[in-house]
Amino acid sequence: VVHAPAPVLSTPAGAVDPLDPDVIRLAAELVALMAASPGCVGIAAPQVGVAVRLFVLDVGGARRVQSYAGLVVLVNPQLVERTGREVRREGCLSVPDLTGDVARATSVVVRGVEPGSGLERVVEADAFEARALQHELDHLDGLLFLDRLEGAHALFARKRYL
Amino acid sequence: VWPKIQPGVHSSAKIAVVTDDAVEDAGAQGVPEGPLSGGVTPPETYAVTAVGPDAPGEVAALAEALVGLGANVEDASMTRLRGHFAMTLIAVSAAAVTELEAALAAAATGLDVTVRILTGPADSGRTGTARRLTVHGSDRPGIVATVARAVADRGGNITDLTCRLVGDLYVMTVEVDLDDPTGLAEQLVAAGLAARVTVIDEDLL
């Protein structure tokens, strides 16, 4: 996993073909990496150094989960709806020693395409899963939680390691 | 207790000395005329800093020493900077500098404490639109200078700032009063930093 300040983490990623074998292989690798990383609920392709619009997500087992869409693997995803606002502290696999207070929508609808099948998938999520989706979408736009800190006193040393 | 003194009015008065001006000002604000009782001094506004090894109980020790001299802690900020305890506070007290220094030194022996009288005006008014600026990138000397200069050159005033270095990652979060942020983020990006400027929204209820 690539850590900040790697430039790839601050670079907008490009759209890709969901039927491209390389994309399908990368998606499988991200799912495996997520499963192998304790406490990890999502990884975006830029976090392994590949600037393409692909992320995987699975918030099963996390605390504070309300909606649960199961395993989500999306190519070229888009945020199509967002409501509510909540500030909470979040961290990132690519910024391992820091956390920060970030405002996110509390409920989102995300549309994307599944690699391999090329089928469209729409995910409606709230609470923790909505936050995680927005965090992964940000990675595809070259944004880290560091870019969304709520203010000068919203950055913290991480308190808890999984 | 010195009654009804406006903050700042006696900022030039020396500790333990009541000046003629002070007497006149007090009279003008309705305090009965006449000789002042001996030993009564106008309160001063103090800036106290304490830096050193972090340990449990340091804030308590400092605060108890201050209240023991009748000092009232107004604004205060404490954090750990690279693991070092770092606190700055503003307190108002009629005690002398030397008394405060002695009490604070006795209370928190592990900390390097400074005490000084603040005489300048405290102007905390907003001078522009409140914005937050986040900057991060590879650590190198001069990031803070680059960012602060870019803000200053646009007439911005930094009102809060935190910098953290973790490994090679340097992160700055800045709150700034700045009316025109045109080109600020772009200038910092051109300097090899990730930078973002957003307006601070307040929901006033």
Side-chain angles (χ1 to χ4, degrees), chain A residues 2-49:
Chain A
V2 173
H3 290 177
V8 68
L9 295 171
S10 295
T11 307
V16 283
D17 177 0
L19 305 180
D20 181 336
D22 286 344
V23 171
I24 297 166
R25 192 179 311 115
L26 179 60
E29 286 168 5
L30 292 179
V31 171
L33 181 58
M34 176 170 64
S37 307
C40 177
V41 299
I43 300 184
Q47 291 183 275
V48 296

mmCIF file of all heavy atoms in Angstrom, chain A residues 2-49:
data_model
loop_
_atom_site.group_PDB
_atom_site.id
_atom_site.type_symbol
_atom_site.label_atom_id
_atom_site.label_comp_id
_atom_site.label_asym_id
_atom_site.label_seq_id
_atom_site.Cartn_x
_atom_site.Cartn_y
_atom_site.Cartn_z
ATOM 1 N N VAL A 2 0.522 2.186 -0.864
ATOM 2 C CA VAL A 2 1.267 3.438 -1.009
ATOM 3 C C VAL A 2 0.857 4.414 0.101
ATOM 4 O O VAL A 2 -0.323 4.542 0.403
ATOM 5 C CB VAL A 2 0.960 4.060 -2.393
ATOM 6 C CG1 VAL A 2 1.568 5.444 -2.501
ATOM 7 C CG2 VAL A 2 1.467 3.161 -3.507
ATOM 8 N N HIS A 3 1.841 5.057 0.718
ATOM 9 C CA HIS A 3 1.561 6.026 1.779
ATOM 10 C C HIS A 3 1.769 7.455 1.284
ATOM 11 O O HIS A 3 2.646 7.718 0.453
ATOM 12 C CB HIS A 3 2.484 5.784 2.972
ATOM 13 C CG HIS A 3 2.168 4.516 3.714
ATOM 14 N ND1 HIS A 3 2.899 4.075 4.780
ATOM 15 C CD2 HIS A 3 1.183 3.596 3.538
ATOM 16 C CE1 HIS A 3 2.389 2.937 5.231
ATOM 17 N NE2 HIS A 3 1.343 2.624 4.494
ATOM 18 N N ALA A 4 0.978 8.382 1.849
ATOM 19 C CA ALA A 4 1.228 9.806 1.591
ATOM 20 C C ALA A 4 2.635 10.130 2.111
ATOM 21 O O ALA A 4 3.046 9.559 3.115
ATOM 22 C CB ALA A 4 0.180 10.652 2.318
ATOM 23 N N PRO A 5 3.387 10.989 1.432
ATOM 24 C CA PRO A 5 2.989 11.915 0.369
ATOM 25 C C PRO A 5 3.208 11.413 -1.065
ATOM 26 O O PRO A 5 3.600 12.201 -1.914
ATOM 27 C CB PRO A 5 3.876 13.121 0.651
ATOM 28 C CG PRO A 5 5.164 12.502 1.141
ATOM 29 C CD PRO A 5 4.759 11.263 1.880
ATOM 30 N N ALA A 6 2.940 10.181 -1.367
ATOM 31 C CA ALA A 6 3.103 9.711 -2.742
ATOM 32 C C ALA A 6 2.221 10.541 -3.689
ATOM 33 O O ALA A 6 1.028 10.716 -3.422
ATOM 34 C CB ALA A 6 2.714 8.242 -2.827
ATOM 35 N N PRO A 7 2.793 11.044 -4.757
ATOM 36 C CA PRO A 7 2.017 11.897 -5.677
ATOM 37 C C PRO A 7 0.763 11.217 -6.230
ATOM 38 O O PRO A 7 -0.248 11.889 -6.469
ATOM 39 C CB PRO A 7 3.019 12.198 -6.799
ATOM 40 C CG PRO A 7 4.362 12.091 -6.148
ATOM 41 C CD PRO A 7 4.221 10.989 -5.127
ATOM 42 N N VAL A 8 0.802 9.894 -6.408
ATOM 43 C CA VAL A 8 -0.357 9.211 -6.994
ATOM 44 C C VAL A 8 -1.607 9.399 -6.135
ATOM 45 O O VAL A 8 -2.738 9.378 -6.641
ATOM 46 C CB VAL A 8 -0.050 7.703 -7.205
ATOM 47 C CG1 VAL A 8 0.090 6.984 -5.860
ATOM 48 C CG2 VAL A 8 -1.121 7.032 -8.067
ATOM 49 N N LEU A 9 -1.408 9.626 -4.833
ATOM 50 C CA LEU A 9 -2.555 9.793 -3.938
ATOM 51 C C LEU A 9 -3.195 11.176 -4.076
ATOM 52 O O LEU A 9 -4.299 11.398 -3.575
ATOM 53 C CB LEU A 9 -2.131 9.557 -2.485
ATOM 54 C CG LEU A 9 -1.683 8.133 -2.161
ATOM 55 C CD1 LEU A 9 -1.078 8.065 -0.766
ATOM 56 C CD2 LEU A 9 -2.851 7.159 -2.277
ATOM 57 N N SER A 10 -2.486 12.084 -4.709
ATOM 58 C CA SER A 10 -3.030 13.430 -4.900
ATOM 59 C C SER A 10 -3.254 13.741 -6.372
ATOM 60 O O SER A 10 -3.309 14.908 -6.767
ATOM 61 C CB SER A 10 -2.083 14.467 -4.271
ATOM 62 O OG SER A 10 -2.021 14.290 -2.873
ATOM 63 N N THR A 11 -3.401 12.696 -7.166
ATOM 64 C CA THR A 11 -3.611 12.841 -8.607
ATOM 65 C C THR A 11 -4.964 12.253 -8.985
ATOM 66 O O THR A 11 -5.250 11.109 -8.615
ATOM 67 C CB THR A 11 -2.505 12.092 -9.382
ATOM 68 O OG1 THR A 11 -1.237 12.528 -8.913
ATOM 69 C CG2 THR A 11 -2.626 12.323 -10.878
ATOM 70 N N PRO A 12 -5.798 12.999 -9.690
ATOM 71 C CA PRO A 12 -7.079 12.406 -10.125
ATOM 72 C C PRO A 12 -6.828 11.181 -11.014
ATOM 73 O O PRO A 12 -5.954 11.213 -11.880
ATOM 74 C CB PRO A 12 -7.741 13.540 -10.918
ATOM 75 C CG PRO A 12 -7.094 14.793 -10.396
ATOM 76 C CD PRO A 12 -5.682 14.411 -10.048
ATOM 77 N N ALA A 13 -7.594 10.117 -10.759
ATOM 78 C CA ALA A 13 -7.406 8.872 -11.512
ATOM 79 C C ALA A 13 -8.239 8.903 -12.792
ATOM 80 O O ALA A 13 -9.235 9.618 -12.887
ATOM 81 C CB ALA A 13 -7.800 7.684 -10.645
ATOM 82 N N GLY A 14 -7.823 8.100 -13.756
ATOM 83 C CA GLY A 14 -8.508 8.072 -15.042
ATOM 84 C C GLY A 14 -9.545 6.958 -15.126
ATOM 85 O O GLY A 14 -9.453 5.934 -14.442
ATOM 86 N N ALA A 15 -10.565 7.175 -15.969
ATOM 87 C CA ALA A 15 -11.590 6.153 -16.194
ATOM 88 C C ALA A 15 -10.961 4.943 -16.900
ATOM 89 O O ALA A 15 -9.995 5.078 -17.645
ATOM 90 C CB ALA A 15 -12.723 6.726 -17.055
ATOM 91 N N VAL A 16 -11.535 3.759 -16.635
ATOM 92 C CA VAL A 16 -10.998 2.539 -17.253
ATOM 93 C C VAL A 16 -12.130 1.671 -17.794
ATOM 94 O O VAL A 16 -13.306 1.838 -17.447
ATOM 95 C CB VAL A 16 -10.170 1.701 -16.265
ATOM 96 C CG1 VAL A 16 -8.796 2.298 -16.064
ATOM 97 C CG2 VAL A 16 -10.888 1.544 -14.948
ATOM 98 N N ASP A 17 -11.746 0.707 -18.617
ATOM 99 C CA ASP A 17 -12.685 -0.247 -19.201
ATOM 100 C C ASP A 17 -12.910 -1.385 -18.205
ATOM 101 O O ASP A 17 -11.963 -2.091 -17.840
ATOM 102 C CB ASP A 17 -12.074 -0.783 -20.504
ATOM 103 C CG ASP A 17 -12.961 -1.848 -21.160
ATOM 104 O OD1 ASP A 17 -14.047 -2.150 -20.597
ATOM 105 O OD2 ASP A 17 -12.553 -2.371 -22.205
ATOM 106 N N PRO A 18 -14.159 -1.559 -17.748
ATOM 107 C CA PRO A 18 -14.425 -2.607 -16.756
ATOM 108 C C PRO A 18 -14.202 -4.015 -17.296
ATOM 109 O O PRO A 18 -14.164 -4.983 -16.518
ATOM 110 C CB PRO A 18 -15.898 -2.383 -16.389
ATOM 111 C CG PRO A 18 -16.466 -1.622 -17.526
ATOM 112 C CD PRO A 18 -15.360 -0.791 -18.099
ATOM 113 N N LEU A 19 -14.073 -4.151 -18.602
ATOM 114 C CA LEU A 19 -13.864 -5.478 -19.185
ATOM 115 C C LEU A 19 -12.390 -5.752 -19.492
ATOM 116 O O LEU A 19 -12.033 -6.844 -19.939
ATOM 117 C CB LEU A 19 -14.694 -5.621 -20.474
ATOM 118 C CG LEU A 19 -16.196 -5.347 -20.290
ATOM 119 C CD1 LEU A 19 -16.937 -5.527 -21.624
ATOM 120 C CD2 LEU A 19 -16.803 -6.262 -19.229
ATOM 121 N N ASP A 20 -11.555 -4.765 -19.261
ATOM 122 C CA ASP A 20 -10.101 -4.921 -19.453
ATOM 123 C C ASP A 20 -9.575 -5.974 -18.470
ATOM 124 O O ASP A 20 -9.781 -5.837 -17.259
ATOM 125 C CB ASP A 20 -9.436 -3.558 -19.213
ATOM 126 C CG ASP A 20 -7.919 -3.599 -19.411
ATOM 127 O OD1 ASP A 20 -7.315 -4.685 -19.285
ATOM 128 O OD2 ASP A 20 -7.348 -2.520 -19.653
ATOM 129 N N PRO A 21 -8.893 -7.006 -18.959
ATOM 130 C CA PRO A 21 -8.390 -8.067 -18.067
ATOM 131 C C PRO A 21 -7.478 -7.524 -16.961
ATOM 132 O O PRO A 21 -7.495 -8.040 -15.839
ATOM 133 C CB PRO A 21 -7.612 -8.986 -19.011
ATOM 134 C CG PRO A 21 -8.192 -8.732 -20.360
ATOM 135 C CD PRO A 21 -8.631 -7.307 -20.381
ATOM 136 N N ASP A 22 -6.703 -6.489 -17.276
ATOM 137 C CA ASP A 22 -5.833 -5.903 -16.253
ATOM 138 C C ASP A 22 -6.655 -5.287 -15.125
ATOM 139 O O ASP A 22 -6.281 -5.353 -13.961
ATOM 140 C CB ASP A 22 -4.932 -4.820 -16.873
ATOM 141 C CG ASP A 22 -3.813 -5.427 -17.715
ATOM 142 O OD1 ASP A 22 -3.572 -6.645 -17.567
ATOM 143 O OD2 ASP A 22 -3.218 -4.687 -18.521
ATOM 144 N N VAL A 23 -7.772 -4.670 -15.500
ATOM 145 C CA VAL A 23 -8.646 -4.050 -14.501
ATOM 146 C C VAL A 23 -9.301 -5.129 -13.639
ATOM 147 O O VAL A 23 -9.399 -5.008 -12.413
ATOM 148 C CB VAL A 23 -9.712 -3.171 -15.197
ATOM 149 C CG1 VAL A 23 -10.764 -2.687 -14.197
ATOM 150 C CG2 VAL A 23 -9.045 -1.977 -15.892
ATOM 151 N N ILE A 24 -9.737 -6.212 -14.282
ATOM 152 C CA ILE A 24 -10.369 -7.318 -13.552
ATOM 153 C C ILE A 24 -9.367 -7.942 -12.577
ATOM 154 O O ILE A 24 -9.693 -8.220 -11.416
ATOM 155 C CB ILE A 24 -10.911 -8.366 -14.547
ATOM 156 C CG1 ILE A 24 -12.009 -7.740 -15.418
ATOM 157 C CG2 ILE A 24 -11.426 -9.593 -13.812
ATOM 158 C CD1 ILE A 24 -12.384 -8.566 -16.638
ATOM 159 N N ARG A 25 -8.135 -8.103 -13.041
ATOM 160 C CA ARG A 25 -7.090 -8.672 -12.177
ATOM 161 C C ARG A 25 -6.792 -7.742 -11.007
ATOM 162 O O ARG A 25 -6.678 -8.182 -9.860
ATOM 163 C CB ARG A 25 -5.811 -8.922 -12.997
ATOM 164 C CG ARG A 25 -4.767 -9.780 -12.267
ATOM 165 C CD ARG A 25 -3.520 -10.029 -13.121
ATOM 166 N NE ARG A 25 -3.850 -10.479 -14.465
ATOM 167 C CZ ARG A 25 -3.603 -9.789 -15.588
ATOM 168 N NH1 ARG A 25 -3.001 -8.615 -15.509
ATOM 169 N NH2 ARG A 25 -3.940 -10.270 -16.757
ATOM 170 N N LEU A 26 -6.697 -6.442 -11.285
ATOM 171 C CA LEU A 26 -6.421 -5.466 -10.227
ATOM 172 C C LEU A 26 -7.534 -5.466 -9.182
ATOM 173 O O LEU A 26 -7.279 -5.407 -7.972
ATOM 174 C CB LEU A 26 -6.261 -4.065 -10.828
ATOM 175 C CG LEU A 26 -5.992 -2.926 -9.843
ATOM 176 C CD1 LEU A 26 -4.699 -3.155 -9.066
ATOM 177 C CD2 LEU A 26 -5.940 -1.579 -10.576
ATOM 178 N N ALA A 27 -8.781 -5.585 -9.666
ATOM 179 C CA ALA A 27 -9.915 -5.615 -8.738
ATOM 180 C C ALA A 27 -9.806 -6.811 -7.795
ATOM 181 O O ALA A 27 -10.013 -6.689 -6.583
ATOM 182 C CB ALA A 27 -11.233 -5.664 -9.519
ATOM 183 N N ALA A 28 -9.435 -7.958 -8.354
ATOM 184 C CA ALA A 28 -9.286 -9.162 -7.530
ATOM 185 C C ALA A 28 -8.163 -8.984 -6.514
ATOM 186 O O ALA A 28 -8.274 -9.400 -5.349
ATOM 187 C CB ALA A 28 -9.020 -10.376 -8.421
ATOM 188 N N GLU A 29 -7.091 -8.321 -6.939
ATOM 189 C CA GLU A 29 -5.966 -8.086 -6.023
ATOM 190 C C GLU A 29 -6.378 -7.151 -4.888
ATOM 191 O O GLU A 29 -5.976 -7.349 -3.733
ATOM 192 C CB GLU A 29 -4.777 -7.485 -6.787
ATOM 193 C CG GLU A 29 -4.057 -8.503 -7.665
ATOM 194 C CD GLU A 29 -3.060 -7.867 -8.637
ATOM 195 O OE1 GLU A 29 -2.852 -6.636 -8.564
ATOM 196 O OE2 GLU A 29 -2.501 -8.607 -9.469
ATOM 197 N N LEU A 30 -7.170 -6.142 -5.214
ATOM 198 C CA LEU A 30 -7.614 -5.202 -4.179
ATOM 199 C C LEU A 30 -8.519 -5.894 -3.154
ATOM 200 O O LEU A 30 -8.420 -5.640 -1.953
ATOM 201 C CB LEU A 30 -8.338 -4.007 -4.809
ATOM 202 C CG LEU A 30 -7.490 -3.046 -5.640
ATOM 203 C CD1 LEU A 30 -8.362 -1.930 -6.225
ATOM 204 C CD2 LEU A 30 -6.354 -2.449 -4.825
ATOM 205 N N VAL A 31 -9.392 -6.769 -3.651
ATOM 206 C CA VAL A 31 -10.272 -7.513 -2.736
ATOM 207 C C VAL A 31 -9.436 -8.376 -1.796
ATOM 208 O O VAL A 31 -9.671 -8.415 -0.580
ATOM 209 C CB VAL A 31 -11.281 -8.383 -3.525
ATOM 210 C CG1 VAL A 31 -12.039 -9.316 -2.578
ATOM 211 C CG2 VAL A 31 -12.256 -7.506 -4.303
ATOM 212 N N ALA A 32 -8.417 -9.040 -2.357
ATOM 213 C CA ALA A 32 -7.557 -9.895 -1.530
ATOM 214 C C ALA A 32 -6.770 -9.064 -0.519
ATOM 215 O O ALA A 32 -6.629 -9.450 0.647
ATOM 216 C CB ALA A 32 -6.599 -10.687 -2.426
ATOM 217 N N LEU A 33 -6.277 -7.921 -0.964
ATOM 218 C CA LEU A 33 -5.498 -7.042 -0.078
ATOM 219 C C LEU A 33 -6.371 -6.517 1.057
ATOM 220 O O LEU A 33 -5.951 -6.465 2.216
ATOM 221 C CB LEU A 33 -4.922 -5.879 -0.892
ATOM 222 C CG LEU A 33 -4.063 -4.863 -0.136
ATOM 223 C CD1 LEU A 33 -2.865 -5.536 0.529
ATOM 224 C CD2 LEU A 33 -3.598 -3.761 -1.081
ATOM 225 N N MET A 34 -7.615 -6.160 0.713
ATOM 226 C CA MET A 34 -8.545 -5.662 1.729
ATOM 227 C C MET A 34 -8.801 -6.748 2.779
ATOM 228 O O MET A 34 -8.778 -6.479 3.987
ATOM 229 C CB MET A 34 -9.858 -5.226 1.066
ATOM 230 C CG MET A 34 -10.940 -4.790 2.055
ATOM 231 S SD MET A 34 -12.353 -4.015 1.231
ATOM 232 C CE MET A 34 -12.987 -5.380 0.246
ATOM 233 N N ALA A 35 -9.017 -7.963 2.296
ATOM 234 C CA ALA A 35 -9.314 -9.064 3.215
ATOM 235 C C ALA A 35 -8.114 -9.375 4.109
ATOM 236 O O ALA A 35 -8.281 -9.784 5.258
ATOM 237 C CB ALA A 35 -9.725 -10.305 2.418
ATOM 238 N N ALA A 36 -6.916 -9.142 3.577
ATOM 239 C CA ALA A 36 -5.707 -9.483 4.329
ATOM 240 C C ALA A 36 -5.273 -8.373 5.270
ATOM 241 O O ALA A 36 -4.364 -8.571 6.076
ATOM 242 C CB ALA A 36 -4.571 -9.807 3.342
ATOM 243 N N SER A 37 -5.895 -7.196 5.164
ATOM 244 C CA SER A 37 -5.478 -6.058 5.985
ATOM 245 C C SER A 37 -6.442 -5.889 7.154
ATOM 246 O O SER A 37 -7.611 -5.576 6.950
ATOM 247 C CB SER A 37 -5.476 -4.767 5.146
ATOM 248 O OG SER A 37 -4.700 -4.942 3.977
ATOM 249 N N PRO A 38 -5.972 -6.091 8.374
ATOM 250 C CA PRO A 38 -6.862 -6.025 9.533
ATOM 251 C C PRO A 38 -7.573 -4.673 9.634
ATOM 252 O O PRO A 38 -6.936 -3.631 9.548
ATOM 253 C CB PRO A 38 -5.910 -6.208 10.714
ATOM 254 C CG PRO A 38 -4.703 -6.879 10.151
ATOM 255 C CD PRO A 38 -4.589 -6.405 8.737
ATOM 256 N N GLY A 39 -8.892 -4.716 9.793
ATOM 257 C CA GLY A 39 -9.664 -3.499 9.971
ATOM 258 C C GLY A 39 -9.922 -2.718 8.707
ATOM 259 O O GLY A 39 -10.588 -1.690 8.735
ATOM 260 N N CYS A 40 -9.382 -3.197 7.579
ATOM 261 C CA CYS A 40 -9.536 -2.448 6.335
ATOM 262 C C CYS A 40 -10.932 -2.674 5.757
ATOM 263 O O CYS A 40 -11.359 -3.811 5.583
ATOM 264 C CB CYS A 40 -8.481 -2.894 5.326
ATOM 265 S SG CYS A 40 -8.640 -2.098 3.720
ATOM 266 N N VAL A 41 -11.657 -1.596 5.469
ATOM 267 C CA VAL A 41 -13.011 -1.719 4.919
ATOM 268 C C VAL A 41 -13.075 -1.264 3.467
ATOM 269 O O VAL A 41 -14.134 -1.329 2.848
ATOM 270 C CB VAL A 41 -14.041 -0.920 5.747
ATOM 271 C CG1 VAL A 41 -14.093 -1.445 7.178
ATOM 272 C CG2 VAL A 41 -13.715 0.562 5.727
ATOM 273 N N GLY A 42 -11.943 -0.807 2.919
ATOM 274 C CA GLY A 42 -11.981 -0.377 1.525
ATOM 275 C C GLY A 42 -10.606 0.017 1.035
ATOM 276 O O GLY A 42 -9.778 0.485 1.812
ATOM 277 N N ILE A 43 -10.360 -0.226 -0.245
ATOM 278 C CA ILE A 43 -9.103 0.204 -0.869
ATOM 279 C C ILE A 43 -9.425 0.712 -2.264
ATOM 280 O O ILE A 43 -10.206 0.093 -2.998
ATOM 281 C CB ILE A 43 -8.071 -0.940 -0.971
ATOM 282 C CG1 ILE A 43 -7.724 -1.498 0.410
ATOM 283 C CG2 ILE A 43 -6.801 -0.445 -1.651
ATOM 284 C CD1 ILE A 43 -6.644 -2.567 0.364
ATOM 285 N N ALA A 44 -8.812 1.822 -2.626
ATOM 286 C CA ALA A 44 -8.945 2.359 -3.973
ATOM 287 C C ALA A 44 -7.639 2.098 -4.733
ATOM 288 O O ALA A 44 -6.561 2.034 -4.130
ATOM 289 C CB ALA A 44 -9.233 3.857 -3.917
ATOM 290 N N ALA A 45 -7.759 1.962 -6.052
ATOM 291 C CA ALA A 45 -6.592 1.605 -6.874
ATOM 292 C C ALA A 45 -5.401 2.547 -6.667
ATOM 293 O O ALA A 45 -4.258 2.071 -6.621
ATOM 294 C CB ALA A 45 -6.997 1.549 -8.351
ATOM 295 N N PRO A 46 -5.617 3.877 -6.530
ATOM 296 C CA PRO A 46 -4.447 4.738 -6.315
ATOM 297 C C PRO A 46 -3.645 4.370 -5.069
ATOM 298 O O PRO A 46 -2.450 4.661 -4.993
ATOM 299 C CB PRO A 46 -5.065 6.138 -6.170
ATOM 300 C CG PRO A 46 -6.331 6.065 -6.955
ATOM 301 C CD PRO A 46 -6.847 4.667 -6.710
ATOM 302 N N GLN A 47 -4.292 3.695 -4.114
ATOM 303 C CA GLN A 47 -3.584 3.321 -2.890
ATOM 304 C C GLN A 47 -2.573 2.201 -3.109
ATOM 305 O O GLN A 47 -1.759 1.921 -2.230
ATOM 306 C CB GLN A 47 -4.585 2.900 -1.804
ATOM 307 C CG GLN A 47 -5.412 4.070 -1.293
ATOM 308 C CD GLN A 47 -6.333 3.637 -0.178
ATOM 309 O OE1 GLN A 47 -7.428 3.144 -0.420
ATOM 310 N NE2 GLN A 47 -5.877 3.795 1.058
ATOM 311 N N VAL A 48 -2.662 1.531 -4.262
ATOM 312 C CA VAL A 48 -1.611 0.573 -4.621
ATOM 313 C C VAL A 48 -0.800 1.118 -5.796
ATOM 314 O O VAL A 48 -0.095 0.368 -6.480
ATOM 315 C CB VAL A 48 -2.176 -0.828 -4.931
ATOM 316 C CG1 VAL A 48 -2.823 -1.421 -3.683
ATOM 317 C CG2 VAL A 48 -3.172 -0.795 -6.076
ATOM 318 N N GLY A 49 -0.922 2.410 -6.014
ATOM 319 C CA GLY A 49 -0.071 3.074 -6.995
ATOM 320 C C GLY A 49 -0.606 3.070 -8.408
ATOM 321 O O GLY A 49 0.112 3.433 -9.334
#
